[in-house]
Amino acid sequence: MSIIKIRFLQKYFTFFDLQLKLRPTEKEVLGLEFWNDLLFVRLLSILLPLSFLIVVPSILMCFNQQMYFLGAIDLLAFSTVLIISISKAIKLKTKKWIFIAVAYVLSVSLLFI
């Protein structure tokens, strides 16, 4: 792997790590809330590129099969994940609730369409 790719990946993961507290105390590191937040931020950092790879063929297939509502739901879910991944203005707890709501709406729409 070239040095440029390694630096890009380091900057990419650093961007997501900055959403956590910059220097947590030892008590916070041992706490469950810190690990919960770390796991969620790492999930978003992996989910963002994977969801982009998945949403493009999904939307194309939905519009090809004339399932416009499902394509719109997929696009809305991806754009919401993109916004909560990139935005620094939204609190982490709010991001978790939004993520849960998006997953629920997406799964219900896939069940009934």
Side-chain angles (χ1 to χ4, degrees):
M1 200 178 242
S2 70
I3 295 174
I4 296 172
K5 290 180 183 177
I6 292 172
R7 287 185 183 167
F8 173 75
L9 289 175
Q10 286 175 344
K11 287 183 180 181
Y12 178 75
F13 287 117
T14 302
F15 172 78
F16 285 99
D17 287 342
L18 289 176
Q19 293 182 9
L20 298 171
K21 292 181 179 177
L22 293 178
R23 294 193 178 163
T25 62
E26 185 176 326
K27 184 178 180 183
E28 290 173 336
V29 170
L30 295 175
L32 185 60
E33 186 175 343
F34 173 78
W35 290 104
N36 189 2
D37 293 344
L38 180 67
L39 182 64
F40 180 71
V41 167
R42 295 292 164 100
L43 173 73
L44 284 180
S45 68
I46 295 169
L47 189 64
L48 184 62
L50 287 178
S51 64
F52 178 73
L53 292 175
I54 292 170
V55 79
V56 171
S58 173
I59 291 174
L60 291 175
M61 186 62 113
C62 286
F63 287 122
N64 188 24
Q65 298 294 323
Q66 297 178 351
M67 301 175 81
Y68 303 114
F69 182 72
L70 187 58
I73 293 291
D74 285 346
L75 188 61
L76 180 66
F78 172 72
S79 60
T80 306
V81 168
L82 179 69
I83 289 170
I84 66 171
S85 296
I86 293 176
S87 175
K88 293 182 181 179
I90 305 172
K91 293 181 182 179
L92 199 56
K93 189 171 185 174
T94 308
K95 288 182 181 185
K96 291 177 188 178
W97 282 107
I98 293 171
F99 183 77
I100 291 170
V102 166
Y104 181 74
V105 167
L106 185 62
S107 60
V108 167
S109 66
L110 287 173
L111 276 174
F112 294 112
I113 293 179

